[in-house]
Amino acid sequence: MEVPVVKLPDIQANKPQIPINLTRVGVTNVKKLVEVKRKEKRPVVLIATFDIFVDLPSHLKGANLSRNFEAVDEVLEKAVNLPVYEIEQLCSDVAQSLLTRHEYATRAEVILKSEYVIKRESPSTKMECQEVVDIFAEAIALRGEGENMVVKKLIGAEVVGMTACPCAQEIMRDNAKQELEAMGIDNQKIAEFLHRVPMATHNQRGRGIISIEVENNQFVSLEKIIEIIENSMSSSVFELLKRSDEAMVVQRAHNNPKFVEDCVRTMAKNVVREFPSLADEAIITIKQVNEESIHRHNAFAERVATLGDLRNEISRE
């Protein structure tokens, strides 16, 4: 006996009651294991969270969201056999696959977020420890003429560090000078002491963020981005420190006091220096958030510019 075939209606293809275009329709918080290969190093396995979207024209009631899962699984399955060195390229592959599957869409967007473990040594005792940084990647695929697609890729990281306030330190420096003068210490010794011993100030836990957006096949090193952010603050922070390490971190931070604005400008200068081969059209976004210790508010600074604009500004120094 033959079983009758029942054709279910394609509800998504119906016309909506309110026919307007939607910018993004998709799914969020899709978790996948992603293996990122590294030249001459062990591969890194990420527990990555994907947000995946397409645009939806006004004549369709809904998007077939199961196709989004198919696109992610298809690309990640290929990654098992083909080396993947860039998470932003992985996002790009998924975005292009989405456009292929959603023939009505003109734009597809894929966002990946994960944690990335890096090895570090404590500054004095050289103990090995692991530090966790947040990394993210995005890709936007735009449908061009015919079968052509324009793809924009973004890669970035957020790193925690430490800053020391220059303003409060100058106040404490002036107070120390007055106290030493009252004790009868001569000015030359006072100047030498203040040069060798950094004054107290209040500290902040800083979060530096850099993202770089490029088109098509330009490569951006994630490791360089992380290094630039780490070196932009008063000092790096470490998960494991002995007493001599603590002393070195505190002294290093107080010898290198920085405002939130200083951190952003330092990052901008180092991005220009470390990425000489990137095109002028690359879009650089730099942010710094300092969580204040003696205020209830946080301090914030940001710069968004093309790499060409930053190069021009810094060359005029």
Side-chain angles (χ1 to χ4, degrees):
M1 178 180 176
E2 293 186 3
V3 178
V5 177
V6 179
K7 292 187 178 181
L8 298 176
D10 187 357
I11 301 298
Q12 288 95 338
N14 291 346
K15 186 174 181 179
Q17 291 182 336
I18 304 173
I20 62 171
N21 298 324
L22 298 181
T23 306
R24 297 200 299 178
V25 175
V27 293
T28 63
N29 203 36
V30 179
K31 287 185 168 55
K32 295 287 181 181
L33 281 179
V34 176
E35 184 177 283
V36 180
K37 298 186 182 300
R38 300 182 296 171
K39 294 180 180 178
E40 301 178 357
K41 293 182 180 180
R42 294 169 56 187
V44 174
V45 178
L46 304 176
I47 302 176
T49 301
F50 288 87
D51 296 339
I52 46 186
F53 310 101
V54 295
D55 63 333
L56 188 67
S58 60
H59 66 276
L60 292 179
K61 185 177 183 67
N64 189 336
L65 296 184
S66 66
R67 296 181 186 178
N68 289 9
F69 289 104
E70 291 170 8
V72 174
D73 286 331
E74 176 187 289
V75 174
L76 295 184
E77 187 65 28
K78 289 181 181 178
V80 174
N81 299 312
L82 296 176
V84 172
Y85 292 98
E86 306 169 43
I87 56 174
E88 67 271 32
Q89 184 60 49
L90 180 61
C91 291
S92 171
D93 293 342
V94 177
Q96 292 178 75
S97 182
L98 285 172
L99 275 191
T100 301
R101 291 170 180 270
H102 295 264
E103 63 282 351
Y104 54 82
T106 61
R107 181 182 187 276
E109 181 179 358
V110 178
I111 302 169
L112 179 155
K113 297 178 181 177
S114 186
E115 292 182 329
Y116 184 62
V117 177
I118 54 178
K119 290 185 177 180
R120 290 290 182 264
E121 284 187 342
S122 59
S124 176
T125 60
K126 305 301 179 184
M127 288 189 306
E128 286 193 358
C129 56
Q130 293 183 346
E131 303 296 332
V132 178
V133 301
D134 293 326
I135 60 173
F136 53 92
E138 299 179 18
I140 297 175
L142 303 171
R143 197 184 299 281
E145 295 182 2
E147 298 297 320
N148 294 329
M149 295 183 191
V150 177
V151 181
K152 297 180 179 180
K153 303 183 299 182
L154 179 148
I155 181 74
E158 177 177 328
V159 180
V160 174
M162 172 184 177
T163 57
C165 177
C167 185
Q169 189 176 60
E170 190 60 32
I171 295 171
M172 297 301 294
R173 181 185 179 87
D174 188 61
N175 288 346
K177 184 174 181 293
Q178 293 181 32
E179 289 293 331
L180 290 169
E181 287 175 343
M183 293 170 63
I185 309 297
D186 66 74
N187 289 333
Q188 184 176 349
K189 288 186 177 179
I190 291 175
E192 183 179 352
F193 174 80
L194 295 177
H195 176 73
R196 294 172 61 178
V197 180
M199 291 294 100
T201 186
H202 68 94
N203 307 123
Q204 303 94 4
R205 172 170 288 182
R207 291 186 287 118
I209 305 164
I210 294 177
S211 67
I212 300 178
E213 179 185 306
V214 297
E215 288 192 8
N216 300 321
N217 297 319
Q218 296 184 75
F219 170 73
V220 178
S221 168
L222 178 61
E223 283 76 14
K224 278 189 180 179
I225 290 178
I226 293 171
E227 185 178 342
I228 288 170
I229 300 172
E230 281 186 316
N231 294 334
S232 72
M233 291 178 254
S234 297
S235 175
S236 300
V237 294
F238 301 85
E239 185 65 25
L240 184 62
L241 294 172
K242 296 293 187 180
R243 288 187 178 182
S244 60
D245 296 310
E246 289 182 7
M248 187 171 287
V249 168
V250 171
Q251 178 138 357
R252 178 184 297 168
H254 285 72
N255 277 329
N256 187 29
K258 285 192 172 184
F259 289 123
V260 67
E261 299 91 340
D262 296 323
C263 297
V264 170
R265 288 175 171 136
T266 301
M267 284 188 272
K269 183 174 182 178
N270 289 333
V271 164
V272 169
R273 185 188 65 193
E274 294 294 334
F275 293 100
S277 61
L278 280 188
D280 282 343
E281 293 74 24
I283 299 174
I284 315 299
T285 301
I286 303 171
K287 301 178 185 179
Q288 178 75 21
V289 182
N290 284 352
E291 299 172 358
E292 295 282 6
S293 58
I294 64 171
H295 305 293
R296 292 185 178 274
H297 59 262
N298 294 335
F300 176 86
E302 179 183 44
R303 177 64 195 274
V304 181
T306 65
L307 187 54
D309 286 342
L310 290 179
R311 283 171 173 152
N312 290 335
E313 291 181 40
I314 290 174
S315 67
R316 295 197 295 265
E317 283 186 341

